[in-house]
Amino acid sequence: MENFAFIIHPIDLQDVIRVEPKAANKRIELIEKMLEWMPPYEASHITGIKSATGVEAEGWFLTCPLFPGQFLSLPREKVYQKIIETGHIAEDLGARILGLGAYTSVVGDAGETVSKHLSIPVTSGNSLTIAMAIEGTLKAAELMNIDVKNSTVSVIGATGSIGSACSYILSDKVGELILVARSTKRMEQQTAVIKEQKNIYVNFSTDVHNSVKRSDIVISATNSLHGIIQPEYPKPGSVICDVALPHDVCREVATLRQDVLVIEGGLVQIPGVVDFGYDFGYPEGVALACMSETILLALEKRYENYSLGRKISVEKIEEIGKLAKKHGFKLAGFRSFDRSIGEAEIKQICYKVRGEQ
């Protein structure tokens, strides 16, 4: 039996209330202070994972109790220490690899410092997140009758570890690629690399609104604490893959822009009769790709540091995609604003939009 551990943390107040209902009556400032003082803890025991090869695995979800904003605003050393303390619980449980979920993989150097303070290997899960986000986006574009080869594509958060890899992989598959981020200097460096290695011209911009408005396809993977894609931004008939947690697309888009397809990036169907022992609001056996990468590495008995740091190699993305197929991991359909959305509904959006144009 192979095993692993994966760190989670509350994304918003509702996540805290789900575990502690009494928190509903408390001020957010008090809850933040309580989380800051609270030690990490084991959230659940995960069972029932069985690879297509017959290998089985079990694991644990471990909670590092901080909100996304606290990971970014508290002193970095204090945040590192809390993540490392959570990692020590994984060691004590006998886990052989640790996955960093959500903002625990964002802080500082994306897991490299954390891994140096633990006796077990660490992964951010970003390689499989990228592979699944691209697979899901291209499939959604096909269902929306978007000609990818002649499409305009924006990658928001293009200088981050997920965004930069998505940009590189998509650069020779689309008509026009627009990198969108805050740092012009970093985008200039990135476009230079793409041009040198692929001999393709790439645009870049700091203007999220204009870039999204022009794009047939958008992949958004920022570390923003709030929605940055407003209802008036998207182009009618476009596809937006929101890889970020918290999500980059404002909730109002769901009701105000029914001419746009927004999908959550990186959801994976895990093989076996899986019991996570924890409710993420996903269908049975479905997990985020970052969690899935940790599980996959355990099933493959690849107990080694994998997706760490700000540079994720294309080779690792391709490798983890092949391993996913080997062990029976699959793209878990599509979800849009916390609900499943089927191909028939997607085609209906497409038919309505194309018919009106």
Side-chain angles (χ1 to χ4, degrees):
M1 177 77 73
E2 307 306 316
N3 64 42
F4 62 92
F6 187 82
I7 300 180
I8 60 177
H9 67 79
I11 298 297
D12 53 30
L13 180 58
Q14 292 306 310
D15 284 344
V16 177
I17 294 172
R18 190 180 299 121
V19 177
E20 180 47 75
K22 293 180 181 178
N25 301 318
K26 302 291 190 300
R27 291 182 297 110
I28 188 66
E29 294 82 5
L30 177 59
I31 292 174
E32 287 176 341
K33 186 57 67 174
M34 290 171 62
L35 292 177
E36 190 177 334
W37 292 335
M38 186 183 297
Y41 61 91
E42 178 186 341
S44 72
H45 182 213
I46 306 161
T47 60
I49 298 168
K50 187 174 183 179
S51 162
T53 66
V55 179
E56 298 182 42
E58 64 175 354
W60 299 269
F61 282 135
L62 310 176
T63 298
C64 183
L66 290 175
F67 283 133
Q70 292 177 289
F71 281 100
L72 301 180
S73 64
L74 291 173
R76 184 169 293 179
E77 291 307 314
K78 186 170 186 176
V79 174
Y80 273 148
Q81 187 55 42
K82 196 147 191 171
I83 298 172
I84 292 165
E85 286 175 8
T86 314
H88 289 324
I89 297 176
E91 293 172 332
D92 293 341
L93 288 168
R96 299 178 66 186
I97 189 168
L98 175 69
L100 303 178
Y103 275 67
T104 65
S105 68
V106 170
V107 176
D109 53 17
E112 291 182 333
T113 294
V114 172
S115 70
K116 292 173 184 176
H117 288 81
L118 297 175
S119 62
I120 58 176
V122 175
T123 185
S124 69
N126 282 345
S127 295
L128 190 60
T129 297
I130 294 161
M132 288 296 177
I134 291 175
E135 181 180 341
T137 300
L138 295 180
K139 177 63 177 177
E142 177 186 335
L143 292 171
M144 288 288 287
N145 286 339
I146 294 172
D147 179 4
V148 175
K149 289 183 179 180
N150 293 305
S151 66
T152 297
V153 178
S154 287
V155 178
I156 317 295
T159 57
S161 56
I162 293 175
S164 60
C166 286
S167 300
Y168 185 86
I169 292 170
L170 289 171
S171 61
D172 56 1
K173 301 181 187 299
V174 305
E176 178 187 11
L177 181 66
I178 308 171
L179 310 185
V180 185
R182 288 175 292 189
S183 172
T184 300
K185 182 177 180 180
R186 291 176 66 184
M187 286 190 288
E188 287 175 343
Q189 294 170 343
Q190 194 168 329
T191 54
V193 169
I194 294 174
K195 184 175 181 180
E196 179 183 353
Q197 297 185 7
K198 294 196 174 187
N199 196 29
I200 292 170
Y201 179 74
V202 177
N203 290 317
F204 61 87
S205 172
T206 58
D207 187 342
V208 174
H209 183 182
N210 187 56
S211 300
V212 173
K213 187 176 181 179
R214 290 181 53 204
S215 297
D216 304 293
I217 299 170
V218 176
I219 294 181
S220 195
T222 79
N223 297 330
S224 174
L225 298 176
H226 309 287
I228 60 170
I229 298 178
Q230 302 292 327
E232 63 271 22
Y233 290 11
K235 178 180 179 179
S238 61
V239 170
I240 302 175
C241 179
D242 192 344
V243 188
L245 278 176
H247 291 308
D248 282 339
V249 180
C250 292
R251 298 288 305 188
E252 291 80 7
V253 174
T255 53
L256 298 178
R257 294 299 306 272
Q258 297 182 14
D259 58 345
V260 172
L261 174 60
V262 178
I263 59 173
E264 297 174 20
L267 290 175
V268 179
Q269 184 71 49
I270 307 297
V273 184
V274 185
D275 181 3
F276 290 123
Y278 194 95
D279 181 14
F280 289 98
Y282 299 143
E284 188 174 337
V286 172
L288 289 167
C290 51
M291 301 177 192
S292 305
E293 178 173 306
T294 311
I295 297 168
L296 185 54
L297 291 170
L299 290 170
E300 185 67 11
K301 303 179 185 179
R302 291 281 294 272
Y303 295 117
E304 60 190 61
N305 290 335
Y306 201 78
S307 303
L308 292 183
R310 297 297 176 191
K311 298 291 184 182
I312 304 297
S313 73
V314 174
E315 290 75 22
K316 280 192 173 180
I317 296 167
E318 292 174 345
E319 178 186 44
I320 205 73
K322 291 176 182 177
L323 291 177
K325 290 180 173 61
K326 170 184 174 181
H327 288 279
F329 288 62
K330 299 177 182 178
L331 186 70
F334 298 103
R335 284 177 65 80
S336 180
F337 296 103
D338 304 323
R339 70 178 185 87
S340 295
I341 180 169
E343 293 189 8
E345 186 175 351
I346 293 173
K347 289 180 178 179
Q348 191 63 33
I349 296 171
C350 175
Y351 176 79
K352 182 179 179 182
V353 173
R354 307 301 176 202
E356 291 175 349
Q357 290 179 342

